[in-house]
Amino acid sequence: MSSWNSTALEIVYQVFGWTAFVSWSISFYPQVILNFRRKSVVGLNFDFVVLNLTKHSSYLIYNAVLYFSSAVQRQYREKYGVGQMIPVAVNDVAFSIHAVILTAFTLFQIVIYERGTQKISKISIGIVCAAWLSAAVCVIIALPSHSWLWLISVFNTIQVAFMNFRRKSTDGFSIGNILLDLCGGLANYAQMMVQSIDQGSWVNFYGNIGKLLLSLVSVFFDLVFICQHYLLYPGKKAGKCPKLDKESTEPLIKSSDHPQSENVYDV
C-alpha cells in the first residue's frame, strides 16, 4: 500500500477535502428548513429531488465500496499500478452519506407536506427505473467474474449522467448556493491535484473519472451562473409585476351607495 511522501501535502489534502464536504453539505439545508417552516413543498422541483437521490445513492455506492472493500482496492491497483493510492477519501464517503440522508429527508417532506397539484413526472420515474434496472443487470454480469471495479464504475457513471440531466434546469437557484457549490467543486478538484503532486502520478484523475467530472462540470456551470448574475444581468431585481390584472386593482370593499370616483382616503 502506498503512503504520502509529504506530510504537509497530506494536511493540505485533508483541508481541501473537508472544505468541499462543508461547502457542498451546507447547500442542502436552506431547502429543508424552508419546507419545514412553510409546512409546504409547493414550488419545489420534485423531479430534481428524485434524480438527485439516484445520483447521490449511486455515488455513495461507488465511494463506499472503493473505500472499504479490499477486493475492489486490489482490482484497482492491478489495473492502475500497485503503488497507486485509492482515489476516494473519507470525506467523499461522508459527503455521500450526508447527501443521501438529506435528499431522502427532502423526499419525505414531499410526502408529508402540502404539495398542491405538483407530481413527479413520468419521464423522471422512467429514467430512475431504467437506471436502477441497468445497474441490476450489471450486478448479475459482474457476479461470475467478480469484476467489482467495473461494477462500481457503472454506478459512478450513473451519478455523472444524472448530474448532467438535472443541470439543464437551474431556475430559482440562489447565488449563495451557487457560490457554495463552486467552492466545493474547486476544493474537490484541488484535493485530487494535491494527491497527484505528492504521488507524482495522474492516475488519481483518470482512475476516478466520476469525481473529476463532478468537480469540473460543477465549476463550469457555477461560473456561468455567476457571470449571468454579476455581469450579464446585474441590474435585474425582483420588483413590481409588469402587469396587474383587473381584480388586483379593484378596492377590497365595494359600495353601491357612492360613485367609484369618490376617494376613500384624503390625500
Side-chain angles (χ1 to χ4, degrees):
M1 177 182 287
S2 58
S3 59
W4 284 89
N5 298 316
S6 170
T7 303
L9 287 178
E10 182 179 7
I11 294 175
V12 173
Y13 174 85
Q14 294 295 338
V15 170
F16 278 133
W18 289 108
T19 299
F21 168 80
V22 172
S23 298
W24 275 344
S25 296
I26 289 177
S27 64
F28 284 90
Y29 286 93
Q31 187 66 58
V32 172
I33 295 173
L34 179 63
N35 296 341
F36 176 77
R37 288 177 174 174
R38 296 169 60 219
K39 297 296 187 291
S40 170
V41 291
V42 175
L44 175 63
N45 190 323
F46 295 175
D47 291 348
F48 172 87
V49 178
V50 171
L51 295 174
N52 231 18
L53 183 60
T54 299
K55 185 196 80 168
H56 289 306
S57 297
S58 59
Y59 194 46
L60 172 59
I61 293 172
Y62 171 83
N63 284 331
V65 173
L66 187 53
Y67 186 80
F68 292 109
S69 174
S70 57
V72 174
Q73 291 177 3
R74 183 177 64 253
Q75 291 183 16
Y76 180 88
R77 291 191 174 97
E78 288 175 354
K79 181 175 182 179
Y80 294 109
V82 178
Q84 296 300 324
M85 295 179 66
I86 298 301
V88 174
V90 65
N91 64 272
D92 296 319
V93 180
F95 165 74
S96 297
I97 294 174
H98 179 271
V100 169
I101 293 174
L102 265 292
T103 307
F105 185 75
T106 304
L107 190 61
F108 175 69
Q109 290 181 315
I110 290 176
V111 174
I112 65 173
Y113 289 154
E114 170 63 33
R115 55 183 178 275
T117 59
Q118 293 178 238
K119 296 180 180 179
I120 300 172
S121 70
K122 294 181 179 179
I123 294 178
S124 292
I125 295 175
I127 292 175
V128 169
C129 291
W132 287 114
L133 180 60
S134 301
V137 172
C138 292
V139 170
I140 297 174
I141 295 175
L143 280 176
S145 59
H146 299 284
S147 301
W148 306 120
L149 181 62
W150 170 78
L151 178 61
I152 64 170
S153 296
V154 171
F155 285 103
N156 206 19
T157 303
I158 290 175
Q159 65 93 12
V160 174
F162 273 90
M163 176 188 63
N164 292 337
F165 179 84
R166 75 176 181 86
R167 281 289 188 178
K168 292 189 296 184
S169 178
T170 58
D171 291 341
F173 278 22
S174 70
I175 191 63
N177 285 348
I178 295 301
L179 294 175
L180 283 170
D181 194 54
L182 175 63
C183 180
L186 291 174
N188 215 18
Y189 185 73
Q191 185 188 33
M192 300 178 70
M193 180 70 72
V194 169
Q195 182 175 336
S196 295
I197 292 174
D198 179 82
Q199 298 296 302
S201 170
W202 296 103
V203 171
N204 181 48
F205 282 87
Y206 59 79
N208 191 8
I209 193 66
K211 184 176 180 179
L212 173 64
L213 292 179
L214 180 67
S215 300
L216 292 180
V217 173
S218 294
V219 169
F220 172 77
F221 280 101
D222 290 337
L223 290 176
V224 171
F225 296 144
I226 290 172
C227 286
Q228 290 177 328
H229 184 82
Y230 290 110
L231 299 179
L232 298 181
Y233 319 115
K236 290 194 173 182
K237 306 288 184 182
K240 298 181 179 179
C241 296
K243 292 183 180 179
L244 296 175
D245 56 23
K246 185 177 180 180
E247 289 185 355
S248 64
T249 59
E250 290 180 349
L252 294 178
I253 301 176
K254 298 180 180 179
S255 174
S256 59
D257 298 332
H258 302 280
Q260 288 186 351
S261 60
E262 183 177 293
N263 292 329
V264 178
Y265 300 101
D266 292 332
V267 180

